[in-house]
Amino acid sequence: MTELEFLPLALEHRGEGVCIQLRLGPYWLLLDCGLKDISSLLSYAEQAPWTALLCSHAHADHARGIRQLHELLPELPIYTSEITARLLPLLWPDQPQELASLCLPLPWEKTRQIAPDLYIQILPAGHLPGAACFAIRYLTAEREYRVLYTGDFFLSNSRLVDGLPLEAFREQSPDVLIIEGTLGAKRYPHRRSQENELAAKLSRELAAGKSAIVPVPKLGVAQEILMLLRSHHNFTGKDIDIWVDDPIALVCDRYLQFVNYLPSSVQNFAQNQPLFWDRKVKPRVGRVSEFLGQDGEDSWSLIIDDYPSSDAIDQPEQPIKPKRSLRKTKPTSNLQDDLANSDLEAELERDQETQPKAESAINSSQLKPFILLVDIESNWQQWLERLACEWVVMLPEANETNYLPWRSPFPYQTYILNEHSDVSATTQLIHNLKPQHVVLMHGKPSDLADLANLTELRNRYHIHCPAIGKRLQLPVNDALQTSMAKLAAPTFPNLSPYEGELAQQDSTIMLTLPAEITSDPRWLDFADTGLIEARWQGEELLIRGISQRELMAMSAANSPNLKLYSCGNCRFYQQRYCQNSKSPLYGLKVSSDGYCQVFEAIDPVPTKPDSLNNPTNLDNPDNLDNLDGQDNPEGDRQDQTSSETINRADADTRSDRDTVDDASQSDDDEQTI
């Protein structure tokens, strides 16, 4: 029996959460507990009692089962970061007690002994404030075993959290790396490019007179977007109102309690103006609950009149008590006291029962376009019907989330704002750590398989995509470690920089390099397809080869343009679903090369063929012969007219060609070219 054993109970393949058992010698650890129902854990707890539970971060898919587990096993220690310990109670707003006391916070990069010969350490993971990677060490008389569990990680810096610091991981050298592969082998633009694209889309919709509703997860992404709207140059100083739903506002209040743990840029921002709630500085940010009366007088004129003036706000950083509010208790700076005094969901239900139902939607004709952030898990569609605005719905890209396609008469836009690392960042972390075993978790099985099949990973490491409930033995030995290290860091000949020549022509540039560059073993990968990509990085021009995988992906991305009148070029084709209510394919998943009779192009295109303009011929099988013009006098007349037009066009073409020949002959008499 090996010293290291991996037993996955849930791997977030299809929304079931993450929960992993890890054995190091005689010790069993539980990595995260994101199960909705932990009854399946009881049998494992009886077989091998756990030494500790390690919680990576406060997202529900990693932590929603912790409360149930604590009720069953109150003596089980739960280790996490200090910020995660503060955020975890937000998962259970119906609990009045302070649940943060359940966890044992650990300082960053400090080793803690949790059992004889067993040590743990937490390192920043990016992704979310407080998100941590766990470095686990188990000591025996023969050797030291090292395991690194990443949880969810993100290399790039975001608005409210710094990315995973690679320099802090270079000395880890784990034998086993348990790493997420949410995005599989996909590549995405840099985080700043994604933010700029989202800001540009929102700016265009607001300029067009539309109000934007943005359904987002209440913890993490919601605060990132809110901070983006507060600090991006497209919105700074603009006369825009941003309203925030109550579940998101509760999380924002909790963020205000640990501003000192956020990036230095955020701390500097908070010193000059409030981080979230501000009615003085544009764009203005407020809570949705502050804008609705309790007596049924639903109108936006009431909202504007009842909101306190900016002069009356002495402490804008504190939650503001409006004249009319859905909350019956005054908000406090302590979120747990707030939750103990008021059950928000039950209170909203009671208010809805006591309020008379509005006969019509709220009149918002005099309101300027605004942005509304709502919890994506709530019934946010009610706002679309309650407010008579010209709406646009901003939905996250389906490639990262598993939300169902939007089916509604309201228009929508999609955006990308990743909080997980793509293939470039994932492989970069793996190559820096150089483990013997790489265990992939957290993602669709197909995406994990694509990542595991990458040649650069498969040829260097032992890649595992474990099945739920199946034990995975992870043998480790020094000989394997030495061979894998040599393979992971191949030696290349020490060649001097190559000197070449550039030749600029009218429309192309030719780069000439000496032939000895092909002796480098890296040349085979560089020249795999014969195609290259060049881009500027500062003052230097970087050139890299394009692989066959990338070339196939480019071809697949451009395939919808091959057929002009196809679903791929239709304005109602969204996320591989037809959204045209007039189409017989409405609401169905369709192929990009298909078409129907109500096709509408994204951009203006030439007149459609008769076969598309005359749908009766396609719908009636008895009239299929008419497509060839047989037994159809009208078709014969059209064919005859078309033939006469073509003949006249041919005659005109011959006449023009004769004229050009005569002109050319005259030119030849004067000058020889």
Side-chain angles (χ1 to χ4, degrees):
M1 184 176 66
T2 62
E3 295 290 348
L4 302 181
E5 181 178 325
F6 182 90
L7 177 58
L9 307 179
L11 294 174
E12 187 61 12
H13 286 169
R14 296 175 180 85
E16 70 275 11
V18 174
C19 188
I20 299 169
Q21 280 196 144
L22 178 67
R23 182 180 62 82
L24 300 97
Y27 305 110
W28 283 93
L29 295 177
L30 200 60
L31 307 180
D32 283 331
C33 187
L35 296 172
K36 298 179 181 178
D37 182 9
I38 67 168
S39 58
S40 59
L41 288 178
L42 299 180
S43 59
Y44 295 101
E46 296 173 356
Q47 297 174 8
W50 299 307
T51 303
L53 165 63
L54 310 183
C55 178
S56 62
H57 62 287
H59 275 155
D61 58 336
H62 289 256
R64 61 188 159 211
I66 289 181
R67 188 187 72 179
Q68 300 180 47
L69 185 62
H70 175 74
E71 294 174 352
L72 296 176
L73 300 173
E75 302 300 326
L76 178 67
I78 304 173
Y79 294 99
T80 187
S81 68
E82 183 175 352
I83 297 180
T84 299
R86 296 189 184 188
L87 292 175
L88 280 176
L90 296 174
L91 297 177
W92 311 286
D94 58 331
Q95 288 292 308
Q97 67 268 23
E98 178 64 48
L99 294 177
S101 60
L102 303 180
C103 301
L104 301 175
L106 297 176
W108 294 108
E109 301 183 22
K110 301 294 183 181
T111 302
R112 170 75 66 89
Q113 183 176 5
I114 61 174
D117 305 324
L118 187 62
Y119 303 84
I120 62 173
Q121 182 186 26
I122 62 171
L123 302 168
H127 180 69
L128 182 75
C133 299
F134 281 89
I136 309 168
R137 293 189 299 128
Y138 168 58
L139 303 180
T140 65
E142 293 78 17
R143 60 160 296 159
E144 178 183 70
Y145 295 89
R146 296 191 175 197
V147 177
L148 181 66
Y149 172 62
T150 65
D152 292 349
F153 75 99
F154 194 51
L155 255 63
S156 299
N157 294 335
S158 54
R159 295 281 167 171
L160 294 172
V161 60
D162 290 329
L164 181 147
L166 277 177
E167 62 277 3
F169 287 75
R170 299 191 189 279
E171 298 180 358
Q172 292 300 319
S173 301
D175 302 308
V176 177
L177 174 62
I178 305 173
I179 188 172
E180 68 146 329
T182 305
L183 301 183
K186 303 182 183 70
R187 297 179 185 271
Y188 288 93
H190 192 269
R191 172 67 177 229
R192 284 293 179 262
S193 300
Q194 299 176 18
E195 292 177 350
N196 292 335
E197 180 64 22
L198 173 57
K201 288 184 177 181
L202 286 171
S203 297
R204 288 194 295 266
E205 297 298 339
L206 293 174
K210 298 180 181 179
S211 295
I213 184 170
V214 188
V216 289
K218 64 181 179 181
L219 175 58
V221 178
Q223 289 70 39
E224 289 288 333
I225 294 181
L226 184 56
M227 192 63 189
L228 171 66
L229 299 176
R230 292 272 288 144
S231 57
H232 197 274
H233 61 85
N234 280 14
F235 301 97
T236 302
K238 301 296 179 62
D239 187 16
I240 301 173
D241 287 301
I242 303 170
W243 312 131
V244 181
D245 201 2
D246 286 295
I248 299 176
L250 292 177
V251 181
C252 293
D253 289 339
R254 179 50 59 97
Y255 269 56
L256 298 179
Q257 298 182 10
F258 51 79
V259 174
N260 293 335
Y261 292 90
L262 300 179
S264 57
S265 59
V266 179
Q267 298 181 36
N268 294 335
F269 182 93
Q271 289 178 358
N272 299 307
Q273 57 183 295
L275 189 60
F276 296 125
W277 316 120
D278 194 347
R279 299 300 297 173
K280 294 182 179 179
V281 179
K282 300 176 182 179
R284 297 173 295 271
V285 181
R287 307 167 188 263
V288 167
S289 61
E290 298 169 352
F291 309 141
L292 299 179
Q294 296 184 4
D295 52 4
E297 299 177 5
D298 290 332
S299 67
W300 281 100
S301 59
L302 171 66
I303 292 170
I304 297 174
D305 293 339
D306 280 3
Y307 199 88
S309 63
S310 58
D311 297 336
I313 302 176
D314 298 329
Q315 297 179 350
E317 193 68 9
Q318 299 297 327
I320 303 168
K321 180 178 177 60
K323 297 179 183 178
R324 301 179 186 266
S325 172
L326 285 177
R327 301 180 61 90
K328 296 182 179 179
T329 59
K330 181 177 180 179
T332 65
S333 59
N334 190 325
L335 179 60
Q336 290 306 321
D337 294 341
D338 230 8
L339 294 175
N341 296 329
S342 174
D343 185 350
L344 180 61
E345 294 183 358
E347 191 171 344
L348 290 175
E349 292 178 0
R350 290 194 300 268
D351 288 335
Q352 290 176 358
E353 292 176 358
T354 57
Q355 289 181 3
K357 296 184 178 179
E359 298 180 357
S360 60
I362 296 176
N363 182 13
S364 58
S365 58
Q366 298 180 352
L367 186 69
K368 296 180 180 179
F370 59 92
I371 299 175
L372 175 60
L373 292 181
V374 294
D375 182 11
I376 199 167
E377 301 296 337
S378 65
N379 184 23
W380 55 267
Q381 294 89 345
Q382 62 178 332
W383 294 104
L384 301 175
E385 301 176 355
R386 191 174 185 183
L387 305 182
C389 302
E390 187 176 357
W391 285 107
V392 61
V393 182
M394 304 296 297
L395 290 176
E397 174 77 26
N399 287 339
E400 181 180 350
T401 57
N402 297 321
Y403 302 119
L404 294 177
W406 175 246
R407 301 180 184 179
S408 173
F410 294 97
Y412 76 97
Q413 295 258 9
T414 60
Y415 65 92
I416 299 175
L417 195 64
N418 291 336
E419 53 180 347
H420 300 271
S421 293
D422 64 357
V423 62
S424 300
T426 302
T427 54
Q428 183 180 4
L429 180 59
I430 294 174
H431 292 330
N432 274 271
L433 296 175
K434 301 180 179 62
Q436 294 188 33
H437 297 272
V438 177
V439 183
L440 300 177
M441 58 94 186
H442 198 291
K444 297 179 181 178
S446 58
D447 292 335
L448 298 179
D450 291 341
L451 184 60
N453 287 327
L454 292 179
T455 303
E456 61 176 307
L457 298 181
R458 189 176 65 248
N459 293 344
R460 298 186 181 189
Y461 316 100
H462 293 290
I463 308 295
H464 307 277
C465 294
I468 296 177
K470 301 294 183 181
R471 297 179 183 270
L472 176 63
Q473 303 291 331
L474 300 170
V476 176
N477 59 75
D478 295 332
L480 181 60
Q481 176 72 22
T482 302
S483 61
M484 295 300 293
K486 292 181 178 179
L487 186 59
T491 58
F492 299 109
N494 186 16
L495 301 177
S496 59
Y498 300 101
E499 296 182 358
E501 295 181 355
L502 280 175
Q504 182 175 353
Q505 301 177 1
D506 294 337
S507 59
T508 59
I509 296 176
M510 182 175 295
L511 174 63
T512 305
L513 296 174
E516 54 265 24
I517 194 175
T518 59
S519 60
D520 193 304
R522 291 169 289 190
W523 175 260
L524 295 178
D525 293 333
F526 179 84
D528 184 23
T529 61
L531 300 176
I532 62 173
E533 178 186 75
R535 63 182 176 88
W536 289 103
Q537 181 173 318
E539 298 296 328
E540 296 181 349
L541 181 65
L542 303 182
I543 301 177
R544 71 175 189 88
I546 298 179
S547 65
Q548 295 185 13
R549 179 185 293 270
E550 291 179 275
L551 191 60
M552 294 175 63
M554 293 177 186
S555 301
N558 296 330
S559 60
N561 296 327
L562 298 178
K563 190 171 182 180
L564 186 60
Y565 301 100
S566 63
C567 293
N569 287 319
C570 181
R571 61 189 295 263
F572 295 102
Y573 183 66
Q574 300 286 348
Q575 299 183 359
R576 296 183 293 179
Y577 282 80
C578 177
Q579 303 294 343
N580 189 350
S581 58
K582 299 179 181 179
S583 171
L585 303 176
Y586 174 64
L588 300 178
K589 188 175 182 180
V590 296
S591 175
S592 61
D593 57 356
Y595 67 91
C596 68
Q597 295 85 355
V598 291
F599 166 84
E600 293 187 26
I602 300 176
D603 298 319
V605 297
T607 305
K608 293 184 290 186
D610 291 339
S611 59
L612 295 180
N613 285 329
N614 190 6
T616 56
N617 291 341
L618 298 178
D619 296 337
N620 189 355
D622 298 333
N623 296 333
L624 291 177
D625 294 337
N626 293 339
L627 295 177
D628 298 328
Q630 299 177 3
D631 300 330
N632 187 356
E634 182 65 22
D636 292 339
R637 286 194 298 271
Q638 292 179 356
D639 293 342
Q640 182 178 359
T641 303
S642 300
S643 300
E644 293 175 359
T645 303
I646 293 173
N647 291 336
R648 287 196 299 270
D650 291 341
D652 294 341
T653 302
R654 287 193 298 271
S655 176
D656 293 341
R657 186 165 56 246
D658 294 340
T659 302
V660 173
D661 292 339
D662 293 342
S664 300
Q665 184 65 31
S666 299
D667 293 341
D668 292 339
D669 294 341
E670 297 179 1
Q671 181 180 3
T672 301
I673 298 178

